[in-house]
């Protein structure tokens, strides 16, 4: 999972301060080629609450928590981009920060699934996040099996537990969505909440942020492709 630290920190701040009636969407879009190469695009969308976020960004701090400035967000994002560009197997790195609608996107190509894993680990190390080690992809081109292993981080549960019951309701409209597209049709997938598209060439997984943060759901899945 791509980690956008500045915006993630802002999300937690907004929700904890009970300023919003809706929250955010994190969308991960992966295109996997038959040889294991592909592309990934991550989008963090706060547009549902853009007016409130804009007001919050004008403050220096709220309840003792420092508000990151646009300059700080840009600086940390550029640090992240430099890491991606120096990661073996990663190319065509692009990003966009839309401060009008508060939408951040990062995209790149990867030469192999192993490069995709290195990408996640590099970001996890830089941002001191366990996600880089708790999330791993594998792909067997011979059997057409694409696997994602995932271990919920206790730290994430602890951070979520610190939020009051009243403030947790502001996460109700927050979702994590992953779309994985393939060259071949999908034969089967094992995640209870995921769905195969009508074209059978994509798998969609959409989970509530509250369930993901508390560890009630997992991102782990095994997708098997048809050989033809």
């Amino acid at each position: 999972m791509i980690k956008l630290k500045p915006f993630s920190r802002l999300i937690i701040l907004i929700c904890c301060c009970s300023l919003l009636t809706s929250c955010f969407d994190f969308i991960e879009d992966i295109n996997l080629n038959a040889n294991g190469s592909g592309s990934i695009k991550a989008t963090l969308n706060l547009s549902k609450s853009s007016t409130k976020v804009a007001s919050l960004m004008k403050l220096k701090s709220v309840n003792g928590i420092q508000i990151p400035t646009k300059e700080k967000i840009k600086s940390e994002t550029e640090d992240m981009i430099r890491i991606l560009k120096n990661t073996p197997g990663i190319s065509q790195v692009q990003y966009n920060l839309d401060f009008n609608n508060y939408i951040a996107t990062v995209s790149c190509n990867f030469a192999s699934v192993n490069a995709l894993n290195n990408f996640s680990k590099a970001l996890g190390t830089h941002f001191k996040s366990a996600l880089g080690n708790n999330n791993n992809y594998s792909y067997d081109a011979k059997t057409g099996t694409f696997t994602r292993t995932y271990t919920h981080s206790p730290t994430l549960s602890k951070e979520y537990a610190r939020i009051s019951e009243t403030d947790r309701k502001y996460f109700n409209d927050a979702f994590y969505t992953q779309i994985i597209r393939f060259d071949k049709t999908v034969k089967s997938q094992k995640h209870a909440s995921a769905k195969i598209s009508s074209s059978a060439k994509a798998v969609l997984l959409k989970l509530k942020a509250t369930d993901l943060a508390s560890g009630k759901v997992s991102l782990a899945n095994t997708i098997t492709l048809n050989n033809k």
Side-chain angles (χ1 to χ4, degrees):
M1 182 185 294
I2 293 178
K3 188 74 171 176
L4 302 180
K5 180 183 177 182
F7 275 89
S8 297
R9 183 171 58 204
L10 186 58
I11 288 169
I12 295 173
L13 173 63
I14 303 166
C15 294
C16 289
C17 293
S18 306
L19 295 178
L20 303 181
T21 56
S22 60
C23 207
F24 65 94
D25 292 299
F26 185 87
I27 303 170
E28 201 171 42
D29 198 329
I30 297 176
N31 287 278
L32 186 71
N33 301 321
N35 64 358
S37 66
S39 64
I40 181 171
K41 179 179 180 180
T43 301
L44 185 58
N45 188 338
L46 282 77
S47 62
K48 291 185 292 186
S49 306
S50 59
T51 301
K52 293 291 186 181
V53 176
S55 297
L56 190 64
M57 291 283 290
K58 295 178 181 179
L59 304 176
K60 291 185 178 180
S61 65
V62 173
N63 294 343
I65 304 175
Q66 186 177 0
I67 307 275
T69 63
K70 291 182 180 180
E71 290 71 24
K72 182 65 174 178
I73 292 173
K74 289 178 181 178
S75 175
E76 292 195 6
T77 301
E78 289 170 358
D79 286 343
M80 177 180 65
I81 296 303
R82 281 193 288 271
I83 291 174
L84 296 187
K85 289 183 176 180
N86 290 325
T87 301
I90 298 298
S91 62
Q92 300 297 316
V93 182
Q94 298 181 12
Y95 79 98
N96 183 62
L97 297 175
D98 179 352
F99 285 106
N100 291 320
N101 299 299
Y102 291 93
I103 301 174
T105 60
V106 177
S107 63
C108 66
N109 292 343
F110 53 88
S112 66
V113 172
N114 187 52
L116 180 60
N117 290 327
N118 290 337
F119 162 59
S120 296
K121 290 179 181 178
L123 290 182
T125 299
H126 178 72
F127 292 127
K128 299 179 180 179
S129 167
L131 284 174
N133 295 319
N134 293 353
N135 182 76
N136 190 76
Y137 293 103
S138 65
Y139 174 65
D140 188 330
K142 293 182 179 180
T143 62
T145 305
F146 180 77
T147 303
R148 179 179 192 174
T149 57
Y150 173 79
T151 302
H152 178 71
S153 172
T155 302
L156 188 59
S157 294
K158 290 180 181 178
E159 290 297 324
Y160 182 66
R162 292 173 59 187
I163 302 172
S164 69
E165 291 289 344
T166 301
D167 290 340
R168 288 181 192 179
K169 67 181 181 181
Y170 295 100
F171 280 92
N172 287 342
D173 292 326
F175 292 92
Y176 165 82
T177 301
Q178 183 185 63
I179 306 169
I180 309 177
R181 308 174 199 274
F182 303 93
D183 288 344
K184 298 179 180 180
T185 55
V186 177
K187 181 179 181 180
S188 64
Q189 65 84 29
K190 294 186 177 180
H191 199 290
S193 299
K195 297 180 180 180
I196 300 174
S197 68
S198 57
S199 67
K201 287 192 172 184
V203 174
L204 169 67
L205 175 62
K206 186 173 183 178
L207 301 171
K208 294 185 65 173
T210 50
D211 292 340
L212 194 56
S214 62
K216 291 182 179 179
V217 296
S218 173
L219 297 176
N221 196 7
T222 297
I223 300 171
T224 304
L225 307 177
N226 288 304
N227 291 327
K228 296 182 179 180

